[in-house]
Amino acid sequence: MAFYLNCNTHFFFKFSLLFSLLSFSFSQSDVVEAPSPAADSCNGIFLSYAYSSGTKLKPTDPTHQPYRFESVLTVLNNGDEELKSWKVSVEFQNDEFLVSASNAVLADGTSLPANVGNGTVFAGFPMSDLKTAIETAGDLTQMQVQVKLLGTQFGVAAPDVPLPKNIQLANDGFICPKASMQGKNEMQVCCRKDPKFKANVTIDEEFLPRQSGDLTIMYDVTRTYDSNYWAQVTISNHNPLGRLDNWKLSFDWMRDEFIYTMKGAYPYVVDSSDCIFGTQGQHYRDLDFANVLNCERRPTIIDLPPTKANDTTLGLIPNCCRNGTILPPSMDPSKSSSVFQMQVFKMPPDLNRSELSPPQNWKINGSLNPDYKCGPPVRVSPSQFPDPSGLPSNTTAVASWQVVCNITHPKGASPKCCVSFSSYYNDSVVPCRTCACGCPSNTARTCSTTAPAVLLPPEALLFPFENRTAMAQAWADLKHRTVPNPMPCGDNCGVSINWHVLTDYSRGWSARITIFNWDETAFPDWFAAVQMDEVTRGFQKMYSFNGSALELNGVNNTIIMQGLPGLNYIVGETDGANPKKDPRVPGKQQTVVSFTKKNTPGINVAAGDGFPSKVFFNGEECALPSVLPTNNSNREGSTTILSIFLAVFVFIMLHQ
């Protein structure tokens, strides 16, 4: 009898333990906790941020001690309209490092773990839309989402609580007061609709309207099956000065998807090992993974060369295969987009035709191009494509998502190009700034990263920076100037542009532009642009480039230029005629631009109106000198400047 009781007791204990574990798992993932009582008084979008727990972490550091934190961000729709693609801004303030977040992704496309110490915006995933109580009869599982956050924060030890400065809804059309405290561990806010906001979408529309941005990416599902689907990805450039060269596109698969095959582009790494040794290999036992292109959770996609455009296996996709070059629409609309297709295999429990989930955390970059920050994919109305058979009808995508990317200027990021100034009335060149494009950390003993750049003779622009020291010192001696010791470091820019004021007379003036490519990478279909606030209305003509005035944001102050046929390619840096003694030779392009004073009376070219306020090369803003050439020097330097112009002109003509 005792043995029988012991067996039953043991069985009951095991059953109770199993039941407790299952209940804990269920409560963590499937049960939506009831909202705070304060939510009852909110007739809008109720937000709360509650600190749950935290512990001290190693290593011990009195000045910068790390602590683990766990918090819950709650978003509840108590309004009368569905909240589509919800986004919440959390102003972290304790140098937080976020390790994981359930039911959300970072809206700027950053993958976790990530540093969010300066604040971040969360976007809903997989539940991006929150319905109302009216249309769900108060079903919290459709009205509310709870984001469980896990991360590390620094310096806030118990009993203090590491809360953010503020939380607010980041969707357009809402007004949020500053969040209020509920006890010591929770902050709350009720966001209401802005009565002055005019939405461009009605309540009855199923999808959000498409947004504008510097760059947009469309993820269109064109064919779908139970276990896989075909998606077409279209990258479109909308910025008149934005550009991508050798673009690389990356994103995160969130549900263990993998890429089986592609057309119009290719993975940067072809590898199926993650599938073979993962759950994908266990599920797709009969699939030949030797033909699978990529199984990485975060793949990187690159464009194909033009030679693959008509390849029956990899190409035959309109607007594909351009070596990753996407031009601005102001330069060539036919080359302002890039398209590829990929076959994506899904994993359980998504094995049906209608279960479609786009990848998240999109990022795109290029070489010597602006930095882009991309938002989350937003479900939009299905795209339409011309019928491939040529019939006068359109084919509609099964489902479409839009990713909007905008040019950003990250704090502390260095430019990739720089500008030097010179003029006919001063025989010295104001070179690019010291370390304009950054300096290596190991140069402090050989050059100064803080000393200002020294004035140069014009011919020094034709030589690499490491070959200019003797010329700079000799020029300083000739002009009775002192030079710093150690000498300033170089600009370390791959591209430098010289703007030279060439002439100035009663009816007009002219400038000469010389572009130097100090990198080994050539620039096909290059373009440059200058912003000149006072004189753009007087622009007349460029003689070796194709130049035109461009209106940006309603202001006509920009001149965009590109090489004429035969001059639209800047070669990379090459060896001199005698590599043992001659310095390396940069790729060069040069033109003269003329202006009239008829439309710009009162300008003073020598006082600064003849120099640009911003210069761009291939969409990247270049660093400018901190000073302008002065007009108190003798004008004999114009002869030297002219000789440099002729030398560059002859060099270009000989290398056509």
Side-chain angles (χ1 to χ4, degrees), residues 61-80:
D61 186 348
T63 61
H64 201 60
Q65 179 61 49
Y67 295 89
R68 171 192 173 101
F69 76 90
E70 297 180 45
S71 302
V72 177
L73 172 68
T74 302
V75 187
L76 172 63
N77 185 5
N78 274 348
D80 58 359

Side-chain angles (χ1 to χ4, degrees), residues 7-72:
C7 288
N8 279 333
T9 303
H10 182 65
F11 174 81
F12 179 79
F13 173 76
K14 290 176 66 178
F15 178 83
S16 299
L17 179 60
L18 178 61
F19 180 82
S20 299
L21 290 173
L22 289 174
S23 300
F24 175 79
S25 176
F26 182 79
S27 65
Q28 290 292 307
S29 58
D30 297 325
V31 174
V32 177
E33 297 177 10
S36 168
D40 292 339
S41 60
C42 177
N43 287 327
I45 308 300
F46 177 78
L47 308 177
S48 73
Y49 182 99
Y51 172 76
S52 303
S53 64
T55 55
K56 186 176 180 180
L57 300 175
K58 293 292 185 181
T60 301
D61 186 348
T63 61
H64 201 60
Q65 179 61 49
Y67 295 89
R68 171 192 173 101
F69 76 90
E70 297 180 45
S71 302
V72 177

Side-chain angles (χ1 to χ4, degrees), residues 256-271:
D256 295 329
E257 299 97 331
F258 59 93
I259 301 173
Y260 184 78
T261 188
M262 297 185 70
K263 294 174 69 70
Y266 215 65
Y268 187 68
V269 175
V270 177
D271 184 10

Side-chain angles (χ1 to χ4, degrees), residues 297-438:
R297 184 179 185 273
R298 185 172 182 83
T300 298
I301 311 300
I302 58 174
D303 199 11
L304 292 173
T307 55
K308 297 295 183 182
N310 295 321
D311 188 291
T312 55
T313 303
L314 298 176
L316 296 180
I317 300 295
N319 297 326
C320 84
C321 314
R322 293 171 177 164
N323 266 338
T325 297
I326 303 179
L327 301 180
S330 58
M331 183 175 170
D332 190 343
S334 66
K335 296 181 180 179
S336 63
S337 64
S338 189
V339 181
F340 65 89
Q341 296 177 353
M342 58 183 177
Q343 185 181 16
V344 180
F345 269 73
K346 302 182 292 183
M347 287 288 291
D350 298 338
L351 300 183
N352 62 71
R353 295 173 184 266
S354 61
E355 192 65 39
L356 301 169
S357 178
Q360 301 287 320
N361 303 329
W362 293 72
K363 183 175 180 60
I364 189 167
N365 55 36
S367 58
L368 196 71
N369 297 136
D371 292 304
Y372 292 88
K373 182 172 288 187
C374 301
V378 175
R379 184 77 180 268
V380 295
S381 59
S383 301
Q384 292 188 340
F385 310 99
D387 193 287
S389 65
L391 293 174
S393 62
N394 291 330
T395 301
T396 303
V398 178
S400 298
W401 288 265
Q402 184 193 44
V403 178
V404 177
C405 306
N406 288 304
I407 295 175
T408 61
H409 302 283
K411 186 177 181 180
S414 298
K416 302 180 182 72
C417 55
C418 65
V419 178
S420 62
F421 287 155
S422 57
S423 65
Y424 72 91
Y425 50 78
N426 195 312
D427 52 3
S428 294
V429 174
V430 181
C432 295
R433 297 200 314 261
T434 303
C435 296
C437 298

Side-chain angles (χ1 to χ4, degrees), residues 527-573:
F527 78 94
V530 294
Q531 286 188 1
M532 307 185 72
D533 299 331
E534 304 297 332
V535 303
T536 300
R537 295 191 308 276
F539 168 70
Q540 281 185 313
K541 185 180 180 181
M542 287 190 182
Y543 295 89
S544 298
F545 299 164
N546 182 19
S548 59
L550 182 67
E551 186 176 292
L552 293 179
N553 301 321
V555 181
N556 184 18
N557 67 345
T558 303
I559 302 171
I560 187 170
M561 64 196 83
Q562 61 190 101
L564 294 170
L567 299 175
N568 59 348
Y569 191 92
I570 304 180
V571 300
E573 189 182 39

